[in-house]
Every structure is written in C-alpha cells, then in structure tokens.
Amino acid sequence: MAEESLNANEVVLAEEIGHVSVITLNRPRQLNVISSRVVELVAKYLEKWEKDDDTKLVIFKGAGRAFSAGGDLKMFYAGRKDDFCLEVVYRMYWLCYHIHTYQKTMVALVHGIVMGGGAAMTVPLKFSVVTENTVFSMPEASVGLHSDCSFSYILPRLPGYLGEYLTLTNARLSGKDMVAVGLATHFVPSEKLKELENRLLSLNSADENTVSNVIEEFSIDVLPEEETILNKLQTINKCFCKESLEEIIESFEAEGWNNGNEWIWPVLKVLKRASPTGLKITLRSIREGRNQTLPECLKKEFRLTMNLLRSVVSEDVYEGIRAFSIDKDNAPKVLSYIYHLH
C-alpha cells in the first residue's frame, strides 16, 4: 500500500504505511476538538479502509497534548440560529456506530486529554492504550448538554454508579483509573508510546492476538493511585443510586459532613453550578441506558442532542457554552442555573 500524501494544515491526517493506516487528529492548538470537517474526514477514511483488503490495522492518535477534548462547542454556538447542527450531529452519530461495529482491528494511542466525543473514538476500540498523561472526563452536562456519542450505553456498564458520578460531576479519571474500570485496555509509559507505534506500523497482520502481544511488550500492570475516586466508590454508590437529582445532591451533601469526606464539597460546588436541565436529562438518559441496546442509546441520544441544540428544551446549552467556553466568566445567566444556585 502506498503512503498517502499529507496536508500538514488539514484537521485530520491520514497515512497508509504498509498494511497499517493511521488517523491523526490535527488541531493541537484547539486540543483536537471535533469539528464538522473532522467528522467528515474520519468517517471517509474509516469507510475507505474498511473496504480495503490491504489495510490490516488502523491506528488512532491525536497531535499535541490531547487526543481530543470532544465536540467543538464554539462551532455549535456559531450555528445556533439555524439548523447547521443537524448534519454535523447526524454524521457524528453515524461515525459513533461505525466505530463500535468496525470490521478492522483498531488501536487508539491516547496520550493526554480525552473528553466527551473524543473518548467515543477510543473507548469502544478493541485496544485503547493510555499513559500517565491521559485525563478522561465527561463535561457535557455541566454546560446543558448530555453524555452522548454512545456514552449513555457505556457509562451505565461501569462498576456500580460510577457512570452517574462521572457524568454528573465532570470528575476526571487518570489513565490508570481508565484501565481499572475498563475504559482503556492497556497502560504504556509515555516514553514508550512512539516505540509501540513503530512496532505496530511494522505489522502485517489483522490478528487480534498478534496486536495484543505487541502492545503487551510495552504495557505495564498498574493500580489506581491512592487518592483516586475509585477508592470512594462505596460512598458514590450510596448517593448516586438515588432516583432523582435532588435526592442525589441531598444524600451527597449529607455524606460530606462525615469525617474523611471533605473531598465531597468541591464536587458539590461543581454540581451546583452546572445546568440542572443538563443534569436531569443526563441522569435519565444514563438510567435508561442500563436496559437499552447500543442502537437504542444512539437513537435516543441523537434526538436529545437535536432538541437541546434547537433550544426546544431550554436555552441552557448556549448560555453554558458562552459562560464556560467562550467568555469564560463561569457565570451563566439562564434562569435554570440561577434557580439551581439559589
């Protein structure tokens, strides 16, 4: 297979090296956020390589210090007056389903930030490699959106009620945490990541055992750090199993008064400044996702996303994007935020 020419200014770089194809998200200054052009190109290359008998393995990675910080919220804000979002969202959900059901072996090299829709390009893969610099989070609910791109299917399948906690509080997981809960498959020290990539590029096999053996040459067994939230899962389960958002917050606040639970107060602060609309929709979506198939979750998420972006439910999402991503004053002025804060 000939190596594909690269345009260094393109938002997605595609390389064909031997029998391995490589996608590099290439917006490093913007933390590789996912724009309409990114979705278009990633979908095009994946579809092309899935049909190409010469392609045995596909590698995903991001340029710079992030894999991807998720969807391009500024893009949605700029298109809020029309239905620009419709095609972008539709393409993204098709891409999510395609990634989950892809017929070729795929490996994600996740070095740095991976959030929201960016994580939708790594978590479903057969092999997802993280490092000590990897940071995972789901920030959508805080700005009035919801955990989408298949995460209403993924999060409920984490241990206990960790999924609810992660998506409602925008909590972060390290690479070690991700491996521990099944959001990644291998931990490789960052100084070994390039060497691992070179070994993968030399492969002439789609055999999953062969790929796994190569990754395991570089991976190490790790345990979560002592201060990880995974060590607080008993308290998280006790509070985040509650039926309603109000009951969760009330229970969580009560736990905060117990000795050793000082960690709860900063988390509560994040919860109380988030969009109640986003939190309530996200909670219900995650709860429904426990008993839904992947296609059912994606269909539900698509409808939710479109109605939120069309402001059918509320204006929270655009005020949240303005406050937290554009002006960065962290002071949303939508009524539902103000009501929640007081």
Side-chain angles (χ1 to χ4, degrees), residues 45-227:
Y45 291 128
L46 288 184
E47 187 171 2
K48 171 190 173 184
W49 293 332
E50 191 171 37
K51 297 174 182 177
D52 185 352
D53 291 339
D54 282 339
T55 298
K56 307 295 185 183
L57 175 68
V58 176
I59 296 175
F60 253 118
K61 63 179 183 175
R65 62 188 181 94
F67 179 87
S68 171
D72 188 345
L73 297 181
K74 293 179 181 179
M75 171 189 69
F76 290 121
Y77 190 83
R80 65 191 182 282
K81 300 297 184 182
D82 53 41
D83 250 354
F84 162 78
C85 57
L86 178 60
E87 184 176 355
V88 179
V89 174
Y90 178 82
R91 283 174 176 263
M92 185 61 189
Y93 276 95
W94 180 90
L95 177 60
C96 287
Y97 184 74
H98 197 192
I99 288 173
H100 272 273
T101 59
Y102 203 64
Q103 298 301 304
K104 297 287 179 76
T105 304
M106 301 175 73
V107 179
L109 303 178
V110 191
H111 179 64
I113 297 167
V114 58
M115 298 181 179
M121 295 181 176
T122 70
V123 174
L125 273 56
K126 185 69 177 182
F127 302 104
S128 181
V129 178
V130 294
T131 76
E132 72 278 6
N133 297 318
T134 306
V135 179
F136 167 92
S137 71
M138 298 296 298
E140 293 84 357
S142 62
V143 298
L145 284 166
H146 66 106
S147 293
D148 59 350
C149 296
S150 77
F151 272 94
S152 74
Y153 178 80
I154 294 169
L155 291 174
R157 287 156 179 81
L158 297 182
Y161 291 87
L162 179 63
E164 281 90 337
Y165 177 82
L166 291 175
T167 192
L168 295 179
T169 67
N170 190 18
R172 297 182 175 187
L173 293 181
S174 68
K176 293 178 180 180
D177 295 335
M178 291 178 70
V179 172
V181 300
L183 291 172
T185 60
H186 296 82
F187 183 97
V188 172
S190 57
E191 65 268 17
K192 295 286 187 181
L193 203 60
K194 187 61 181 178
E195 189 179 351
L196 167 60
E197 182 182 351
N198 290 336
R199 283 280 284 111
L200 291 171
L201 289 173
S202 69
L203 289 180
N204 182 23
S205 173
D207 179 64
E208 291 181 355
N209 289 331
T210 300
V211 175
S212 179
N213 289 338
V214 168
I215 297 174
E216 287 172 5
E217 290 178 23
F218 298 88
S219 69
I220 59 175
D221 294 330
V222 291
L223 294 173
E225 304 290 349
E226 185 176 346
E227 64 272 16

Side-chain angles (χ1 to χ4, degrees), residues 269-302:
K269 186 176 180 180
V270 173
L271 259 174
K272 290 184 176 183
R273 77 171 186 174
S275 160
T277 303
L279 295 177
K280 285 174 177 283
I281 289 174
T282 295
L283 178 60
R284 178 169 174 177
S285 179
I286 297 296
R287 291 284 163 83
E288 290 182 355
R290 289 181 178 269
N291 299 308
Q292 290 176 324
T293 64
L294 173 64
E296 288 171 338
C297 284
L298 289 172
K299 185 184 294 185
K300 170 195 63 184
E301 291 171 5
F302 173 76

